[in-house]
Amino acid sequence: MPDKAAIKILNEKCTGCGLCVKACPFGAISMEGKQAVIDLTTCTFCGACVEACKFNAILILMKEEAKADLSDYKDLWVFCEQKKGEIQSVSFELLGKGRELADKLGVSLCAVLLGDGMEGCCGGLVARGADKVYLVDSPKLRNYQDDPYSKVLTALVRKHKPEILLCGATTMGRSLISRVAVKTRAGLTADCTGLDIDREEKLLLQTRPAFGGNIMATIITPDTRPQMATVRHKVMKESEPDAKRKGEIIKEGFPEETYSSRSRLIDVVEEIEETVNLAEADIIVSGGRGVGSPDNFDIIKELAVSVNGAVGASRAVVDAGWMPYSHQVGQTGKTVCPKIYIACGISGQIQHLIGMKSADIIVAVNKDPDAPIFSVATYGIVDDLFKIVPALTTHFKKILGK
Amino acid sequence: MKILVLIKQVPETTDVKIDPETNTLKREGVKSIINPFDMYAIEEAVRIKERSGGGQVIAVSMGPPQAMEALREAISMGCDEAVLLSDKKFAGSDTWATSYTLSQAIRKLGDYSVVLCGKQASDGDTAQVGPGVSTHLDIPQVTYIKKIEQINAESARVERMTEEGYEIIETALPAVMTVVKEINEPRLPSLKGKMRAKKAEIPVWTAEDLLCDEEKIGLDGSPTRVIKVFTPPPRQGGRVLAGEPEAVSKELADLLKDVVISS
């Protein structure tokens, strides 16, 4: 008897050709004699072998779920993040993509906004493409907190049943939406860089990087609703505001218990430097060991300031204490996706490349012509960064009339 | 105080590639390690125990039998005990099913004050399992913690990293806490620790041991499905700018001009 969710080789049909062994992306199939054998501890039931088998010898048994209920769910929701009463730009990016997807599905695009005194912002969300705005306004929702935000969003989802729910892959979004997904028994895909609609099946196709971006995976949520995904900041294009758009504002309120929290926000501390918000920056200037000393970082900072950019750093530099951890780009630091990433004196170890290689334009300045950073660079300069960086600063100042 | 640490065994490098001819993952010679972010969680758990002068740290991992190695390493770093959750029925679990399975183990272990884990795993990078576990257990959570300012049996005061800086949060315990690299520097295992790890008996708990609802584990319990795996298109070949520093800088500034102005 196979397990309830099972993959099965039909021994009478298997010819031992080995095509499935080659097709398995996870190395889960091996040949024992003239039969394929699947290692269930590594198999993810992705179905690559089923497609590859020419003899229909592999079956994945999926349980027939109650698909009928899914038709109750409609509309595409975007959770709009606000901080200090200001809508975060990732929300406009989600509304841009959300509009496109909602049109493909022929459903309404709805913005969800939680906060305190946020009514004045709803018009702006309509202008950015929302047909409806669900607003929950309460002093208890002034700042993000896990408990009240997840309870309110869960309650909204249960009440209105959206088909799709998108959220920014930010520290707020990733903490919030994971809780809502578990509570509503919904599928959730993290950190998507691509979203599309399978028109026939009316499914959200969610594409995301894995293994530090070395592999891409497309994921669906076939049998549960809403289909939830977080989307990386700076990947989708912001929608342009159109003040003439019309939309409906729907105010929602919940019993007091819904706003209660077991944790308490005591204080919000913003780092004083303006050059630290790597997630928001269109341009990042990063320094590595080649910068030589903490004092030398001044030229990196000056270049960043000249282009209104942020300062990044390699792990080596952070570990040496030259720069705070909040600046670290890479596997154990931040993943960034700016329009321009200028790497100065960074050799480009794989752990660093993971964090920045999806930038639109990568510039590498390094004395070592063999530095791996050049393999991902759009423009490479093999020279002393102490000559190049100050000269670049001067040119950019001129260009921007500073 | 009983502290639980959730760890995941991951490939040492994320530099895995798909062989374009066979369409398989090239994984020859790739070593398995403890997810780097979980190393900080282990260290923090041991430090909390040391500071409070008593208590117990238990490492928990869900994975194939070889994940036992990761648990032994956790013991060598100072964890008192470890449990492996391993069952063929767990295969194909996404973050929903994984966090459910882990929460069942946590319920079985019982009477805990804190559940610590890394902010995310370096292979999947989802950051969903920590919050998932707190939700299944219906306890509070604080994510992206860079410092635990103070902790006792009832509550903790922590610093939570955000895009702009950090927040100071006070939370009731028990709670799930996910940590970032800045929180500490993990120690190397001591010789004594290694000896203890070698001898430690690590129980293996199955779906049955955990009283799992079979509809919530493995593939059946996972709402998401991977339908395609592929290698991203390689970056366009780069251009080397050569010449005198002044001229090269001007050339580069001109090339970037439009983007810089529009940013």
Side-chain angles (χ1 to χ4, degrees):
Chain A
M1 275 293 286
D3 284 348
K4 230 185 324 179
I7 185 159
K8 191 177 170 188
I9 307 255
L10 303 174
N11 290 345
E12 66 277 15
K13 287 192 180 173
C14 178
T15 64
C17 71
L19 281 174
C20 54
V21 178
K22 285 186 182 168
C24 177
F26 304 96
I29 312 181
S30 57
M31 299 301 297
E32 279 179 19
K34 282 228 150 194
Q35 299 268 292
V37 176
I38 299 174
D39 177 5
L40 290 175
T41 57
T42 38
C43 174
T44 69
F45 305 89
C46 73
C49 54
V50 178
E51 271 185 42
C53 180
K54 289 187 177 161
F55 308 96
N56 298 321
I58 308 175
L59 274 183
I60 290 187
L61 309 173
M62 303 278 189
K63 268 202 336 172
E64 273 304 311
E65 310 261 344
K67 281 209 170 191
D69 293 342
L70 302 187
S71 58
D72 292 351
Y73 289 80
K74 54 182 187 304
D75 295 348
L76 188 152
W77 283 19
V78 167
F79 174 79
C80 293
E81 213 169 280
Q82 60 84 14
K83 280 180 177 170
K84 292 195 286 185
E86 209 174 296
I87 308 284
Q88 301 295 295
S89 59
V90 66
S91 310
F92 302 141
E93 295 163 17
L94 292 175
L95 287 170
K97 189 70 191 180
R99 185 70 263 168
E100 176 199 320
L101 299 174
D103 289 342
K104 277 191 187 174
L105 276 169
V107 301
S108 298
L109 174 65
C110 309
V112 182
L113 183 58
L114 277 56
D116 180 24
M118 294 301 297
E119 199 168 347
C121 290
C122 294
L125 298 174
V126 171
R128 295 277 186 165
D131 301 310
K132 288 181 202 165
V133 180
Y134 291 104
L135 172 69
V136 187
D137 217 64
S138 159
K140 299 265 178 70
L141 299 175
R142 170 172 281 269
N143 291 299
Y144 173 74
Q145 292 197 92
D146 288 311
D147 273 351
Y149 268 63
S150 58
K151 281 188 281 183
V152 167
L153 187 54
T154 302
L156 283 171
V157 165
R158 286 191 174 137
K159 183 169 174 190
H160 297 284
K161 298 185 193 280
E163 185 171 351
I164 293 172
L165 172 56
L166 306 179
C167 181
T170 58
T171 55
M172 182 194 297
R174 300 216 288 179
S175 304
L176 165 69
I177 204 79
S178 306
R179 300 200 114 191
V180 179
V182 164
K183 282 191 194 171
T184 58
R185 190 74 176 98
L188 169 62
T189 305
D191 253 2
C192 294
T193 54
L195 291 174
D196 206 349
I197 298 290
D198 177 334
R199 283 178 198 253
E200 259 172 50
E201 302 283 332
K202 293 210 159 199
L203 283 174
L204 182 66
L205 301 171
Q206 308 155 83
T207 299
R208 72 178 303 263
F211 292 101
N214 284 298
I215 285 176
M216 304 296 289
T218 301
I219 293 165
I220 56 167
T221 304
D223 305 318
T224 57
R225 294 292 177 271
Q227 306 165 75
M228 296 189 186
T230 62
V231 179
R232 279 197 189 173
H233 189 20
K234 299 264 168 208
V235 173
M236 309 296 176
K237 242 184 108 193
E238 271 187 31
S239 56
E240 293 296 329
D242 173 0
K244 284 180 294 217
R245 281 188 52 88
K246 293 263 179 298
E248 191 185 348
I249 316 287
I250 300 156
K251 287 189 220 171
E252 294 278 358
F254 295 96
E256 203 52 27
E257 205 296 310
T258 314
Y259 303 105
S260 68
S261 182
R262 293 164 293 188
S263 52
R264 196 158 61 93
L265 182 67
I266 309 281
D267 201 2
V268 178
V269 183
E270 286 179 31
E271 313 244 299
I272 306 135
E273 296 163 85
E274 285 170 9
T275 49
V276 79
N277 195 339
L278 296 174
E280 284 289 328
D282 282 331
I283 302 172
I284 294 173
V285 186
S286 265
R289 221 191 298 253
V291 176
S293 77
D295 291 345
N296 290 347
F297 250 87
D298 286 349
I299 63 165
I300 303 293
K301 289 176 194 165
E302 279 160 25
L303 176 55
V305 170
S306 78
V307 292
N308 304 318
V311 174
S314 70
R315 175 178 176 161
V317 160
V318 171
D319 285 352
W322 299 358
M323 288 294 283
Y325 172 61
S326 48
H327 292 264
Q328 187 184 318
V329 172
Q331 188 177 51
T332 50
K334 288 175 179 159
T335 301
V336 296
C337 189
K339 290 181 187 160
I340 304 176
Y341 187 90
I342 305 178
C344 310
I346 293 177
S347 64
Q349 295 303 313
I350 180 74
Q351 289 81 357
H352 188 77
L353 301 185
I354 284 164
M356 43 63 79
K357 69 180 181 187
S358 46
D360 294 349
I361 298 172
I362 294 171
V363 177
V365 182
N366 203 304
K367 272 198 286 196
D368 175 10
D370 298 322
I373 189 80
F374 288 115
S375 69
V376 299
T378 322
Y379 303 115
I381 298 176
V382 184
D383 207 331
D384 185 353
L385 72 94
F386 295 100
K387 290 180 187 156
I388 302 293
V389 172
L392 261 181
T393 307
T394 312
H395 285 300
F396 281 129
K397 278 187 179 167
K398 234 182 266 170
I399 286 167
L400 293 171
K402 284 187 179 174
Chain B
M1 186 153 47
K2 185 143 116 190
I3 304 162
L4 310 181
V5 190
L6 310 180
I7 67 172
K8 182 180 185 187
Q9 193 179 46
V10 299
E12 180 170 33
T13 165
T14 55
D15 197 14
V16 283
K17 295 204 169 64
I18 299 179
D19 185 325
E21 281 177 18
T22 60
N23 202 28
T24 58
L25 274 192
K26 290 187 195 171
R27 52 168 71 211
E28 296 93 68
V30 179
K31 232 178 83 187
S32 290
I33 54 163
I34 296 177
N35 167 38
F37 295 106
D38 295 340
M39 295 290 272
Y40 305 107
I42 294 171
E43 177 64 29
E44 198 59 26
V46 175
R47 284 187 192 191
I48 294 171
K49 180 189 155 180
E50 286 169 351
R51 253 185 288 154
S52 64
Q56 190 189 20
V57 179
I58 305 174
V60 181
S61 188
M62 168 175 147
Q66 57 264 36
M68 196 69 100
E69 278 168 57
L71 290 168
R72 288 201 191 280
E73 192 182 341
I75 291 176
S76 75
M77 288 175 67
C79 293
D80 299 291
E81 290 172 34
V83 186
L84 177 64
L85 319 180
S86 198
D87 193 322
K88 281 187 178 176
K89 289 179 181 164
F90 298 150
S93 292
D94 70 0
T95 58
W96 203 104
T98 301
S99 53
Y100 168 75
T101 309
L102 287 166
S103 70
Q104 287 298 100
I106 293 167
R107 279 182 210 276
K108 187 173 159 84
L109 287 163
D111 192 30
Y112 55 92
S113 299
V114 186
V115 179
L116 281 163
C117 58
K119 65 160 179 162
Q120 64 198 52
S122 61
D123 54 352
D125 281 330
T126 70
Q128 284 169 193
V129 171
V133 166
S134 76
T135 310
H136 280 294
L137 294 170
D138 194 20
I139 59 175
Q141 70 179 27
V142 187
T143 50
Y144 306 101
I145 294 176
K146 70 182 191 100
K147 189 177 179 189
I148 296 182
E149 289 182 358
Q150 47 159 295
I151 184 164
N152 58 45
E154 285 82 42
S155 69
R157 190 180 166 107
V158 302
E159 293 178 6
R160 172 181 188 264
M161 201 166 157
T162 65
E163 284 81 359
E164 294 81 18
Y166 63 93
E167 299 169 345
I168 300 172
I169 292 174
E170 218 167 68
T171 185
L173 297 183
V176 170
M177 300 188 181
T178 80
V179 303
V180 298
K181 176 192 164 187
E182 200 182 0
I183 195 164
N184 59 44
E185 211 166 297
R187 70 194 68 189
L188 292 170
S190 65
L191 192 63
K192 213 174 126 195
K194 280 187 183 167
M195 295 293 288
R196 221 164 48 78
K198 219 171 154 183
K199 284 190 212 139
E201 283 194 21
I202 299 177
V204 179
W205 289 352
T206 62
E208 201 177 330
D209 295 325
L210 296 177
L211 308 174
C212 285
D213 176 345
E214 300 238 339
E215 292 195 346
K216 294 181 177 173
I217 57 170
L219 186 75
D220 256 11
S222 300
T224 60
R225 292 280 180 281
V226 176
I227 54 166
K228 196 169 119 192
V229 179
F230 58 102
T231 310
R235 281 192 80 88
Q236 293 293 315
R239 211 175 110 194
V240 174
L241 311 180
E244 286 304 305
E246 178 56 31
V248 170
S249 305
K250 175 148 195 336
E251 189 185 355
L252 179 61
D254 285 339
L255 284 165
L256 301 180
K257 196 164 94 180
D258 292 342
V259 185
V260 170
I261 291 171
S262 68
S263 293

